[in-house]
């Protein structure tokens, strides 16, 4: 992307919030720019971006076959964010240990020896940090777009049109995908007004309450649906039809417009395009982080 087009907006109409693990922004950023950010710029939407990612030397996710694979670090600079935070994963695990133990008592919905439960809690914690950053740096902003950094969009996500279509509404809105709801609400993408964004972004703080009241496993989509259901003032609109799928640390992606871009076709193509990506977790890479990156303290 042309660096001149990545101007930082200090009074945004929209804040994009990214969170989780930076598996491969060097692979996904071009798609993000073409399918989301470029359209925002062309429509004159003033947006800013903030992120919080967990920092670890190796992932442990048997369900996605990521065992010992390294996430990226330096590629987060592509985002030209107002603020970014790398949070040491061991520190996250320290802070969330009680919740993890409590969640394990209620079952393992992914049946992978609680690895996905652990990763889900880490995901929720980075979401909380990224959301707090967004709310503090843009206190008067109405709209927030929550995205994972490992998404590949098969078609454009027209955020401006979604916002315009709700311009006459005085309700607090949580706009989510119409697909892959898995018994709850798809948690990969959410366009939300301020109050709904707080429900979405700070739901880590309600996880223990959910487990206590519902006595059910901490399933990602079901838990999100429960959080939204607790607020009568938030209107849920599962109307996003733009499709996106996740890619992993050991995958590369090539988006070819002439091909069938249905989700099933892209998933099949994805498997055929397995590859390797550059490893950015070396000490040398870490020494040249963007100055915008901040670090939370490691546990003593």
């Amino acid at each position: 992307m042309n660096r001149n087009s990545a101007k930082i907006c200090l009074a945004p109409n929209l804040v994009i919030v990214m969170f989780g693990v930076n598996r491969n922004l060097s692979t996904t950023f071009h798609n993000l720019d073409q399918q989301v950010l470029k359209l925002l710029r062309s429509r004159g939407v003033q947006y800013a971006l903030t992120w919080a990612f967990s920092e670890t030397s190796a992932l442990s996710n048997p369900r996605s076959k990521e065992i010992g694979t390294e996430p990226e670090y330096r590629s987060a600079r592509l985002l030209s964010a107002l603020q970014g935070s790398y949070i040491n994963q061991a520190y996250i695990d320290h802070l969330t240990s009680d919740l993890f133990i409590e969640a394990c008592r209620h079952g393992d919905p992914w049946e992978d020896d609680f690895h996905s439960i652990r990763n889900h809690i880490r995901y929720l914690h980075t979401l909380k940090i990224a959301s707090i950053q967004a709310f503090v740096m843009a206190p008067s902003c109405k709209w927030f777009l929550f995205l994972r950094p490992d998404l590949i969009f098969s078609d454009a996500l027209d955020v401006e049109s979604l916002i315009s279509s709700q311009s006459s509404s005085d309700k607090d809105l949580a706009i989510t995908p119409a697909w892959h709801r898995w018994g709850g609400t798809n948690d990969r993408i959410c366009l939300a007004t301020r109050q709904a964004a707080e429900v979405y972004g700070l739901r880590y703080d309600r996880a223990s309450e959910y487990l206590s009241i519902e006595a059910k496993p901490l399933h990602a989509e079901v838990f999100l649906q429960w959080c939204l259901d607790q607020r009568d003032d938030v209107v849920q609109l599962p109307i996003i039809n733009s499709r996106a799928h996740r890619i992993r640390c050991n995958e590369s992606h090539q988006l070819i417009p002439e091909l069938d871009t249905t989700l099933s076709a892209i998933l099949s193509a994805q498997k055929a395009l397995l590859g390797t990506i550059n490893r950015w977790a070396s000490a040398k890479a870490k020494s040249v982080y963007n100055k915008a990156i901040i670090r939370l303290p490691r546990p003593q």
Side-chain angles (χ1 to χ4, degrees):
M1 183 180 72
N2 188 323
R3 288 186 178 276
N4 293 329
S5 66
K7 296 178 181 178
I8 291 178
C9 178
L10 300 179
N13 307 121
L14 169 73
V15 177
I16 300 171
V17 185
M18 303 189 77
F19 52 94
V21 178
N22 176 13
R23 287 177 162 90
N24 44 21
L25 268 167
S26 63
T27 301
T28 62
F29 178 75
H30 177 72
N31 176 267
L32 171 70
D33 189 53
Q34 292 297 309
Q35 302 285 50
V36 183
L37 305 182
K38 186 176 180 179
L39 194 56
L40 288 172
R41 294 193 295 269
S42 71
R43 301 286 180 82
V45 177
Q46 298 295 308
Y47 68 87
L49 199 149
T50 186
W51 55 263
F53 300 144
S54 59
E55 177 187 27
T56 180
S57 59
L59 299 179
S60 177
N61 191 336
R63 192 160 55 94
S64 64
K65 298 181 174 58
E66 294 170 298
I67 304 296
T69 52
E70 300 174 18
E72 294 182 357
Y73 292 97
R74 190 168 60 184
S75 60
R77 301 174 66 192
L78 292 167
L79 296 173
S80 299
L82 276 180
Q83 187 173 19
S85 301
Y86 268 119
I87 312 164
N88 179 261
Q89 185 168 282
Y91 184 58
I92 295 175
D93 291 347
H94 171 72
L95 291 177
T96 63
S97 59
D98 289 344
L99 177 59
F100 175 65
I101 292 170
E102 185 179 4
C104 289
R105 292 195 186 108
H106 288 83
D108 184 1
W110 291 281
E111 298 182 348
D112 62 355
D113 198 26
F114 300 100
H115 284 278
S116 290
I117 284 281
R118 170 69 85 186
N119 289 331
H120 180 213
I121 291 173
R122 291 165 176 163
Y123 164 97
L124 291 174
H125 191 273
T126 59
L127 169 61
K128 176 182 176 179
I129 298 301
S131 299
I132 290 172
Q133 290 173 178
F135 301 147
V136 170
M137 77 182 193
S140 61
C141 187
K142 179 179 179 180
W143 289 97
F144 298 82
L145 175 64
F146 296 90
L147 296 174
R148 298 167 56 115
D150 57 356
L151 293 179
I152 288 287
F153 290 86
S154 59
D155 47 5
L157 176 61
D158 191 346
V159 177
E160 193 276 336
S161 290
L162 288 168
I163 291 174
S164 296
S165 69
Q166 304 300 324
S167 60
S168 62
S169 175
D170 59 356
K171 305 292 186 181
D172 279 300
L173 307 174
I175 303 174
T176 56
W179 41 273
H180 281 191
R181 299 176 67 180
W182 304 120
T185 296
N186 185 311
D187 67 341
R188 295 186 192 180
I189 306 166
C190 183
L191 175 64
T193 55
R194 180 78 183 211
Q195 296 302 317
E198 291 182 4
V199 175
Y200 184 95
L202 305 179
R203 65 184 186 271
Y204 168 85
D205 292 335
R206 302 206 67 180
S208 183
E209 179 186 3
Y210 167 82
L211 292 168
S212 176
I213 293 174
E214 297 297 322
K216 296 178 180 178
L218 192 63
H219 184 278
E221 287 82 4
V222 174
F223 173 51
L224 173 56
Q225 182 69 61
W226 180 87
C227 289
L228 293 170
D229 286 345
Q230 304 312 297
R231 293 287 294 267
D232 293 335
D233 57 333
V234 172
V235 177
Q236 302 174 48
L237 298 175
I239 60 174
I240 294 176
N241 292 315
S242 302
R243 295 274 180 160
H245 70 276
R246 294 169 293 180
I247 65 172
R248 305 299 187 175
C249 277
N250 60 346
E251 295 174 327
S252 61
H253 179 81
Q254 179 180 355
L255 190 66
I256 304 175
E258 301 82 46
L259 293 180
D260 181 359
T261 56
T262 63
L263 184 61
S264 60
I266 286 180
L267 290 174
S268 296
Q270 173 186 313
K271 292 178 181 178
L273 291 169
L274 289 178
T276 58
I277 61 175
N278 292 329
R279 309 304 189 192
W280 297 101
S282 66
K284 183 177 180 180
K286 292 181 182 179
S287 70
V288 291
Y289 284 169
N290 190 313
K291 292 182 180 179
I293 294 173
I294 64 172
R295 290 175 178 273
L296 297 184
R298 297 172 184 262
Q300 299 298 317

